[in-house]
Amino acid sequence: MGSINRGTAESDPAYYAGYITSMALDGATFQRVGYQMVINGQNSGMGIFNLSGTDPKASWLTMGNPEGCEFYYTVARVMGSDEIISLAPSASGTHSFNVVRWTPGGAGKVVANLPNAHTPAVLGIHLGYIASHQAGPAFGAMVIEDHGTKHKWAVLTMDLATNTATVNELDPEFLTSGGSGLSGFGVAL
């Protein structure tokens, strides 16, 4: 594999290199989608870390928000492709998720609107942690359905061939969004 020096400040593209969100097809390039300046939520984009050879490189690709959305919350690379599927909250007042398909450096395209799929929230503060996965013809994610004073975990499934998405509450309800953690999520082929 390899290693890369962290850098001394958030402005250095390698500063958060340890927080990778995906791996490129070449197996030696890794990416982190988010904000370069994490503390202040500034400069949305993708950190690119190439660990091949004897001189690892880090760079930052500044990216705008997909049309009508805030920035990406999840990253799931379509197997065998440079295409990425992400959840991005709507820029409208509901901040409900949209499913967006995109490639690094390209414009994102909203392929499904999810009217009641959100991030977990604690004391009214929305957290940015959602688990997602892509395998074969399917994309899946864990999201929160908002039912007024009650919030429930739900499973989003999407057929990549048709971009048809469904959201189904977990039943029996064994997790609520009031601080219950979720670690890991996968899609069985």
Side-chain angles (χ1 to χ4, degrees):
M1 193 54 63
S3 64
I4 194 164
N5 290 330
R6 180 176 183 198
T8 59
E10 282 191 313
S11 58
D12 186 321
Y15 193 73
Y16 291 110
Y19 298 92
I20 61 171
T21 52
S22 63
M23 179 176 69
L25 291 175
D26 66 11
T29 304
F30 300 86
Q31 296 112 351
R32 178 184 73 83
V33 173
Y35 296 102
Q36 182 176 13
M37 311 295 274
V38 173
I39 294 170
N40 295 318
Q42 296 174 334
N43 199 15
S44 57
M46 176 182 277
I48 301 169
F49 318 108
N50 188 314
L51 302 181
S52 64
T54 59
D55 187 22
K57 303 271 188 240
S59 60
W60 187 260
L61 174 63
T62 299
M63 298 168 27
N65 295 350
E67 187 174 340
C69 298
E70 295 175 7
F71 199 62
Y72 304 111
Y73 272 47
T74 67
V75 174
R77 181 173 299 282
V78 176
M79 291 180 175
S81 165
D82 282 330
E83 184 181 31
I84 295 173
I85 300 181
S86 295
L87 293 177
S90 167
S92 73
T94 66
H95 298 285
S96 190
F97 280 125
N98 291 309
V99 180
V100 182
R101 294 177 86 149
W102 59 285
T103 55
K109 179 180 180 193
V110 174
V111 295
N113 177 273
L114 309 171
N116 191 12
H118 307 272
T119 63
V122 176
L123 301 174
I125 299 169
H126 287 271
L127 308 174
Y129 304 104
I130 294 292
S132 68
H133 187 73
Q134 185 278 320
F139 169 74
M142 294 295 296
V143 296
I144 297 294
E145 281 196 331
D146 184 350
H147 297 281
T149 59
K150 192 168 194 164
H151 305 279
K152 294 182 176 183
W153 282 104
V155 177
L156 156 69
T157 55
M158 185 170 132
D159 180 323
L160 296 178
T162 64
N163 290 329
T164 303
T166 58
V167 178
N168 296 295
E169 286 181 5
L170 293 180
D171 187 29
E173 180 186 339
F174 67 94
L175 293 171
T176 63
S177 69
S180 295
L182 175 68
S183 178
F185 177 77
V187 176
L189 291 175

